[in-house]
Amino acid sequence: MTCWICNTRKADSREHIIKKSDITRAFGKGSYSGGNAPVHVKNGKISNLQGADSNKIKYETSLCKACNGASTQPFDKAYDKFISYMYANETSILKKRFIDFFDVYGEEFEKGQRDLYKYYAKSFGCRLVDAGEVVPSDIPSLFFKDSFSTGLRINFAVNEDILIMPNKDRDGFIGKGESTVWLDKYDNKKINGYTWSEHVSWLTAFFWYNIFPDGCLGSIWVADSQFIYLGSFEPLDNEQRKNLELKLQQ
Ligand SMILES: [Zn+2]
């Protein structure tokens, strides 16, 4: 298989499904054991995670070493900065319900938010390959450009159900949602677009490829704004929420 980003070198590197830095931020460096160890859930199966570098939380090889390493490292760094900022400023972000990239990246915010967008674009591409889909060509071609047009739009929303959990429980709620392929109503071999999500604690990033974003889930962002305005959603129904509240009182 050829690397989906450069489309020239052999894919011999595995991208993390869940970022090592996200796991170590919440659980420490590991290895993990005992009651506070992270639990990994995939397709309904639960297993313990031994360490943040576990193969359980990596995709099959779909990138070359260069594209998964040095050339995309600034994107990973921008993401780490963003998530660290989110954890450190939780209270004020949740009160204001927006994020000013100047507060995250300083004077360099224009580049910072673009690199962050590229992190998410890489994450999205790896997920599509994992699902056996072809990554639309506008995605691999945006990584090394300062301005680009793409069908991938992102917005961010607060998961209100996770917010009712205490920090010690929600900080380790890290993962990725189900990806959905949107088929044409009249021609079910034709793909109209994709949607997906990933989350760290209450902050959920929603991905919309050629699908118009749900405005309830936040302002639309394509690496083109100093601010993101957070949307809001409640994935649990009333009964599930009541059960969660009862469980938290125990
Ligand atoms: Zn490559």
Side-chain angles (χ1 to χ4, degrees):
M1 185 186 172
T2 309
C3 167
W4 69 263
I5 291 186
C6 63
N7 200 23
T8 48
R9 289 177 291 264
K10 189 172 165 264
D12 55 1
S13 179
R14 299 175 67 170
E15 168 72 340
H16 280 256
I17 301 174
I18 299 180
K19 246 179 136 291
K20 200 171 159 182
S21 55
D22 282 341
I23 304 272
T24 54
R25 192 184 291 109
F27 297 98
K29 282 201 178 359
S31 57
Y32 309 119
S33 59
N36 292 323
V39 168
H40 182 236
V41 185
K42 191 176 184 185
N43 303 329
K45 269 199 246 159
I46 300 175
S47 60
N48 286 316
L49 213 55
Q50 310 289 324
D53 220 11
S54 165
N55 275 340
K56 278 183 200 161
I57 46 170
K58 282 181 187 171
Y59 289 117
E60 294 300 318
T61 54
S62 74
L63 295 169
C64 71
K65 286 199 179 72
C67 289
N68 202 23
S71 55
T72 56
Q73 208 172 45
F75 315 157
D76 288 352
K77 283 200 173 137
Y79 172 79
D80 284 338
K81 223 171 182 179
F82 179 65
I83 298 298
S84 298
Y85 174 85
M86 185 277 282
Y87 276 117
N89 298 278
E90 229 179 20
T91 314
S92 76
I93 297 169
L94 287 165
K95 194 173 142 213
K96 293 187 296 190
R97 299 262 166 155
F98 68 80
I99 294 173
D100 180 347
F101 284 125
F102 184 88
D103 294 339
V104 184
Y105 301 111
E107 297 287 345
E108 297 277 279
F109 73 85
E110 201 260 325
K111 182 180 185 301
Q113 59 91 43
R114 189 167 56 240
D115 283 351
L116 177 67
Y117 179 88
K118 290 174 179 178
Y119 165 82
Y120 283 114
K122 182 185 170 196
S123 177
F124 177 68
C126 286
R127 175 66 191 118
L128 286 185
V129 173
D130 187 60
E133 299 293 326
V134 175
V135 185
S137 61
D138 55 306
I139 303 214
S141 69
L142 67 80
F143 290 105
F144 307 107
K145 289 179 188 154
D146 285 348
S147 72
F148 47 83
S149 58
T150 171
L152 177 63
R153 285 172 278 196
I154 296 173
N155 54 11
F156 295 88
V158 177
N159 182 335
E160 310 289 349
D161 292 326
I162 289 299
L163 210 51
I164 64 176
M165 296 166 80
N167 283 80
K168 70 171 174 50
D169 293 324
R170 73 181 189 225
D171 285 356
F173 181 67
I174 301 163
K176 315 232 157 169
E178 290 296 311
S179 53
T180 305
V181 180
W182 295 82
L183 298 173
D184 194 90
K185 213 166 25 176
Y186 304 104
D187 173 4
N188 65 15
K189 286 194 178 59
K190 189 171 161 252
I191 294 169
N192 281 343
Y194 303 97
T195 51
W196 190 46
S197 69
E198 63 176 69
H199 60 265
V200 174
S201 185
W202 50 265
L203 183 71
T204 307
F206 289 92
F207 299 75
W208 313 83
Y209 188 83
N210 277 0
I211 300 289
F212 198 78
D214 178 346
C216 297
L217 299 173
S219 60
I220 298 167
W221 175 60
V222 195
D224 56 350
S225 172
Q226 181 179 344
F227 301 92
I228 46 172
Y229 298 90
L230 305 176
S232 166
F233 71 113
E234 296 180 321
L236 301 183
D237 62 33
N238 287 338
E239 200 186 321
Q240 290 170 321
R241 193 167 312 111
K242 241 182 237 146
N243 287 338
L244 176 63
E245 280 162 348
L246 283 173
K247 228 176 142 189
L248 290 170
Q249 281 161 16
Q250 281 167 10

